[in-house]
Amino acid sequence: MDRLSQGKYEAIPRNQPYFRDIHDHLLRVADQLVSFRDLLTSILEANLTQVNVRQNEDMRKISAWVAILAVPTMIAGIYGMNFEHMPEIKLRYGYFVILGVMLLACGSLYRHFRKSGWL
């Protein structure tokens, strides 16, 4: 269109004002396409950022629950080894003491994670 608007082709009649007008419209449309592409790219990046933030929040919640559940798993694993010289085994209320320790540890972890915003 640029060449047509400058009259470089002899076989085509010289309607330069019309070709210049068409050339200007074409340039305007090309600029709009570039701006639309940039806008779509920005929208996609914003959406991906939101998805990453949601995934990070989910990972924090999962990590907090895993940390809370790791305490009773560790204690049960130690007591599941059947050592003979563990003082809590011979105590009358040893089972309840260990359950209380597990509940206290899990409760304090839950409260800590809740306060820090992970849960």
Side-chain angles (χ1 to χ4, degrees):
M1 291 310 296
D2 187 38
R3 290 180 189 163
L4 286 173
S5 66
Q6 293 176 3
K8 291 190 175 185
Y9 298 108
E10 295 175 11
I12 297 176
R14 296 191 175 202
N15 292 326
Q16 290 177 355
Y18 299 114
F19 288 130
R20 279 191 209 127
D21 188 40
I22 293 172
H23 180 63
D24 289 339
H25 286 296
L26 183 63
L27 289 176
R28 220 175 291 140
V29 168
D31 287 341
Q32 283 180 341
L33 286 176
V34 168
S35 66
F36 287 152
R37 184 187 58 194
D38 292 341
L39 180 63
L40 285 174
T41 301
S42 298
I43 291 170
L44 180 62
E45 288 175 0
N47 185 29
L48 289 175
T49 302
Q50 288 178 343
V51 168
N52 285 335
V53 166
R54 277 181 278 175
Q55 286 178 345
N56 286 340
E57 290 174 1
D58 292 342
M59 285 305 297
R60 279 191 281 175
K61 287 180 182 180
I62 291 169
S63 299
W65 282 112
V66 166
I68 291 170
L69 294 176
V71 172
T73 304
M74 178 191 67
I75 293 173
I78 290 171
Y79 279 91
M81 291 184 201
N82 296 326
F83 292 122
E84 290 184 24
H85 302 291
M86 293 182 93
E88 294 85 10
I89 292 177
K90 303 275 194 242
L91 293 176
R92 182 175 182 182
Y93 298 109
Y95 177 74
F96 299 109
V97 169
I98 295 303
L99 283 179
V101 168
M102 281 194 268
L103 287 175
L104 181 68
C106 291
S108 64
L109 281 173
Y110 179 79
R111 189 179 68 216
H112 173 72
F113 286 130
R114 191 80 158 160
K115 187 177 179 181
S116 66
W118 281 37
L119 291 177

